[in-house]
Amino acid sequence: MAENKKPSPIEGIKERSRGLRGTLEESLNDEITGAVREADHALVKFHGMYEQDDRDLREERANKKLDKLFSFMIRLRIPGGYMTPEQWVAAHHIAGQYSTGVIKITTRQTIQLHGILKHEIKPTLQAFDKVKLDSIAACGDVNRNVVCSSNPKESPLHGQIHAYADKISRMLLPKTRAYYEIWLDEEKIETYNENDPLYQDRYLPRKFKIGIGIPPNNDADVLANDLGLIAIIENDELKGFNIAVGGGLSTTHGNPDTYPRLATVLGYTAGEEKTLKAVYQVLTVQRDFGNRSDRKLARVKYTLDNMGVESFRKELEARCGFELEPAKEFSFIQREDRYGWMQDHENNWHYTLFVENGRVTDSVTGPVKTALLEIAETGKANFRFTSNQNIIISDIKQEDKMAIDDLLEKYALNNANNSASEFRKNSIACVALPTCPLALAEAQRYLPDLITKIEPLLDKHGLSGDGIISRMTGCPNGCARPYAAEIGFIGTAAGQYNLHLGGDREGTRLNRKYKEHLHEDGLLAELDTLFGSYNSSRLATETFGDFTHRTLFAEKV
Ligand code: SRM
Ligand code: SF4
């Protein structure tokens, strides 16, 4: 519907895939290679996994004339990032048995396991299935994991709002049984005739992301999503949601047609039925109007800008059969996680633990993975992931708090919160090397060291208590949402980063590129100067992001 240009090759792969089956069975049974067939490479994503290889080993293997060492990353679908203790125990053991052992909490409130060999995918997914976890639609051109403000402490209505993440995720699942047949050995259907009114055979032109925010906290970075729902609460009652469309934080170096964008609020819907209908129909508009020839320009943000906000809204309303009401007022005042103990309105306790870059593992900094296992084995706490890659040991009854506290102390888990600087606790890095095939530079393996060098600069300028939000990615795809940070480090080549500045602390203003291709020395020198002038010339209560926006860019707005 959108354009007459030649569709991208992935469009044909989707349409011919017989409900995402493709030749995945054949690929799996091919013992000659650890990879899947080329067309299945795209399809396997819809089942929640990516074919990868360890880039650290590439050269050595190539020198020995060996093929790449292929393995798979599996990403789970965990709407709103909530796991029971039984599920955490299972994830711990599955990670140990089939993957590198590291449980990686992502920026979209789920977990990933890396390094799974092709023949281990089935046992991995079957083990997850036993505890009611799956990886359906965690990747691919469909709706992905739905994120939601994570901490039950934030609102008495948290449970009610959080439930939408699960409802929406279920509503938007593809109808195909392919996942169950291929990975869980469900009986295969003879003739493929599953009807999927939403995705049809085409699926969406590109990935689709939904976030739910509960003002005044924007920990879910709701405006960074293709579709953001902003909960409107009046007199302690959930009235409905503002619907924001067109967020997306990826660019491509050297392609001026690509840009990061925050979602535009289109209007308001009252009640569950209308809200879910509007959500569903935003996807159908994107399905029918999105760009299917250029995947770099296929996200909803481009569809919205091409159609124009008014036409998009009208098309949406026509499909919904009702008009959106004018947007309700809301304001976000914070985005950071609240570390440590918090008690909610029902007197349950929640402990937010800083997990640097979301890597749950036992390391020199502490036996975090062992500790979390022991906590889960008590059965007294649930686990919630935050969009800042941290974990909330949650829903602990008053009478169980001491037992969990003892375990936190036994494993010195509090140290992670107490010893990390505010700057470190407000940082995020994407995975990047060695597994991400798109990485141009390091991110999660480098940011901790860079922060160790930035901290003395903060101390020097009297800013050690300042929770400036910084985010690093190994390429411009933006997986750690660096364009929505006060300081964004965006990899351009090995050891080089563009420095972005001027995003606000609440996630409602994007930053801008300040300097290009800086090495570490350049980054540190720039930050030293900027911190100095921030300390001496900021306005009262002005954050670093607001200061740099005002002093470096405001005149260009
Ligand atoms: Fe991402 C691709 C990791 C959140 C934008 N992202 C990838 C891949 C799968 C690389 C690939 O295509 O082969 C990375 C896998 C690395 C690895 O080895 O694990 C990857 N993305 C991640 C995660 C794990 C980063 C993290 O360290 O937490 C996040 C997983 C989220 C999840 O659980 O679903 C992750 N990715 C994001 C976000 C942030 C968000 O959604 O809040 C973004 C920017 C927001 C957005 O989508 O606009 C993001 N990832 C991308 C893009 C650019 C998409 C585009 O519009 O062009 C790609 C590349 C692509 O899709 O072609 C990508
Ligand atoms: Fe890979 Fe780039 Fe995403 Fe980092 S931002 S995980 S380097 S795709």
Side-chain angles (χ1 to χ4, degrees):
M1 216 179 210
E3 79 295 320
N4 297 319
K5 289 193 195 131
K6 202 169 153 222
S8 79
I10 291 186
E11 291 302 314
I13 293 174
K14 289 185 277 190
E15 281 178 25
R16 290 190 296 275
S17 72
R18 298 173 303 114
L20 305 177
R21 289 171 180 83
T23 51
L24 276 168
E25 287 279 1
E26 290 84 340
S27 278
L28 267 189
N29 295 331
D30 182 351
E31 288 174 13
I32 292 172
T33 167
V36 294
R37 293 178 182 182
E38 206 182 322
D40 294 335
H41 199 269
L43 287 181
V44 82
K45 295 182 187 176
F46 291 76
H47 298 261
M49 61 200 92
Y50 288 82
E51 183 182 296
Q52 302 184 320
D53 71 292
D54 187 331
R55 292 176 59 183
D56 286 347
L57 302 178
R58 266 189 201 171
E59 199 180 332
E60 186 192 327
R61 290 182 68 88
N63 289 341
K64 291 183 185 159
K65 306 266 180 289
L66 290 170
D67 202 358
K68 288 177 183 164
L69 182 57
F70 292 108
S71 67
F72 291 78
M73 172 268 275
I74 294 185
R75 183 184 288 166
L76 295 185
R77 180 181 68 90
I78 310 182
Y82 169 87
M83 262 189 174
T84 63
E86 296 75 26
Q87 289 173 329
W88 182 268
V89 171
H92 176 104
H93 293 304
I94 294 167
Q97 194 171 355
Y98 300 116
S99 79
T100 59
V102 176
I103 300 176
K104 160 78 186 179
I105 303 169
T106 76
T107 51
R108 293 194 67 77
Q109 291 183 309
T110 183
I111 56 167
Q112 289 185 174
L113 303 184
H114 291 89
I116 299 168
L117 298 177
K118 189 171 77 173
H119 68 276
E120 311 263 41
I121 299 175
K122 261 172 105 160
T124 302
L125 293 181
Q126 292 183 358
F128 275 125
D129 181 61
K130 285 203 177 99
V131 288
K132 297 191 168 45
L133 286 170
D134 64 64
S135 64
I136 304 171
C139 325
D141 297 344
V142 279
N143 174 56
R144 305 274 186 103
N145 201 43
V146 180
V147 297
C148 179
S149 191
S150 52
N151 199 331
K153 154 77 189 157
E154 296 299 341
S155 164
L157 299 174
H158 180 269
Q160 192 187 346
I161 298 166
H162 191 264
Y164 273 84
D166 196 48
K167 279 181 211 164
I168 291 170
S169 175
R170 282 172 196 279
M171 175 177 79
L172 302 177
L173 277 176
K175 296 282 176 275
T176 171
R177 299 294 298 174
Y179 181 91
Y180 301 90
E181 287 175 20
I182 298 168
W183 314 108
L184 306 182
D185 291 335
E186 186 180 90
E187 199 182 333
K188 293 178 184 39
I189 54 166
E190 294 290 317
T191 333
Y192 163 66
N193 63 355
E194 290 153 316
N195 179 24
D196 193 331
L198 172 59
Y199 294 118
Q200 305 169 348
D201 280 341
R202 306 183 284 160
Y203 296 87
L204 297 179
R206 205 61 165 91
K207 57 175 74 167
F208 192 95
K209 298 179 174 179
I210 300 179
I212 306 172
I214 310 180
N217 194 320
N218 190 22
D219 60 329
D221 244 333
V222 67
L223 299 175
N225 288 268
D226 295 277
L227 171 53
L229 295 178
I230 300 151
I232 302 296
I233 297 169
E234 282 166 13
N235 301 324
D236 297 330
E237 220 183 289
L238 175 66
K239 292 292 182 189
F241 294 89
N242 278 347
I243 309 263
V245 175
L249 294 187
S250 165
T251 67
T252 304
H253 289 318
N255 183 342
D257 293 338
T258 62
Y259 50 84
R261 191 186 191 288
L262 292 178
T264 304
V265 179
L266 296 187
Y268 166 83
T269 51
E272 181 171 325
E273 196 186 330
K274 281 189 163 179
T275 301
L276 294 183
K277 196 163 199 179
V279 167
Y280 185 95
Q281 294 301 352
V282 171
L283 269 83
T284 70
V285 176
Q286 163 66 354
R287 180 195 65 203
D288 296 341
F289 288 84
N291 184 330
R292 287 186 186 260
S293 56
D294 185 347
R295 290 181 65 77
K296 294 274 179 220
L297 303 177
R299 297 289 294 275
V300 176
K301 58 185 173 181
Y302 302 113
T303 315
L304 182 74
D305 286 341
N306 287 340
M307 291 175 76
V309 171
E310 273 320 304
S311 318
F312 193 102
R313 191 201 333 261
K314 285 212 168 68
E315 184 63 36
L316 174 63
E317 289 175 342
R319 289 172 184 229
C320 287
F322 58 81
E323 289 186 3
L324 300 183
E325 293 176 40
K328 303 271 185 191
E329 279 202 18
F330 68 96
S331 79
F332 289 125
I333 57 169
Q334 77 162 97
R335 217 168 7 152
E336 62 271 30
D337 290 338
R338 295 175 195 264
Y339 293 101
W341 282 114
M342 292 272 157
Q343 193 171 24
D344 69 23
H345 58 286
E346 286 174 339
N347 298 325
N348 290 329
W349 289 92
H350 311 273
Y351 184 88
T352 305
L353 176 70
F354 172 56
V355 182
E356 192 155 25
N357 302 321
R359 287 173 52 81
V360 177
T361 181
D362 290 344
S363 70
V364 281
T365 55
V368 178
K369 197 173 162 210
T370 303
L372 291 177
L373 175 67
E374 206 169 317
I375 289 172
E377 281 172 341
T378 65
K380 297 181 195 301
N382 294 317
F383 292 77
R384 295 173 190 267
F385 311 118
T386 79
S387 295
N388 292 315
Q389 300 172 319
N390 295 309
I391 199 161
I392 308 176
I393 304 162
S394 70
D395 310 298
I396 300 156
K397 296 206 163 37
Q398 175 67 47
E399 61 267 29
D400 295 332
K401 180 168 179 274
M402 200 184 275
I404 302 297
D405 235 347
D406 287 346
L407 288 172
L408 292 178
E409 206 161 299
K410 173 177 166 191
Y411 289 102
L413 273 193
N414 326 29
N415 282 352
N417 284 357
N418 298 339
S419 62
S421 65
E422 288 306 308
F423 188 79
R424 193 178 292 274
K425 283 193 282 194
N426 284 298
S427 69
I428 319 183
C430 73
V431 178
L433 292 161
T435 51
C436 178
L438 308 176
L440 304 169
E442 296 280 355
Q444 72 178 14
R445 292 199 297 197
Y446 172 53
L447 187 61
D449 292 343
L450 181 66
I451 290 179
T452 303
K453 294 173 186 166
I454 293 174
E455 282 163 347
L457 303 178
L458 290 160
D459 284 349
K460 175 175 147 191
H461 297 293
L463 300 173
S464 48
D466 198 323
I468 299 168
I469 293 181
S470 72
R471 297 172 173 182
M472 173 178 278
T473 54
C475 86
N477 279 320
C479 298
R481 299 186 292 274
Y483 306 96
E486 295 181 87
I487 304 176
F489 303 103
I490 297 169
T492 57
Q496 288 181 40
Y497 299 85
N498 287 349
L499 177 61
H500 284 234
L501 298 169
D504 64 2
R505 203 156 281 188
E506 303 80 25
T508 59
R509 183 184 63 233
L510 294 177
N511 56 29
R512 302 216 200 156
K513 186 160 58 182
Y514 175 60
K515 290 277 162 82
E516 284 185 325
H517 308 298
L518 295 179
H519 292 274
E520 184 176 284
D521 286 354
L523 290 171
L524 294 174
E526 292 293 347
L527 290 177
D528 192 8
T529 309
L530 289 160
F531 290 156
S533 34
Y534 171 52
N535 185 32
S536 58
S537 335
R538 69 174 152 179
L539 306 175
T541 75
E542 193 172 40
T543 60
F544 184 68
D546 289 346
F547 170 77
T548 49
H549 175 72
R550 176 174 64 82
T551 56
L552 302 174
F553 305 119
E555 72 284 1
K556 298 180 198 155
V557 175

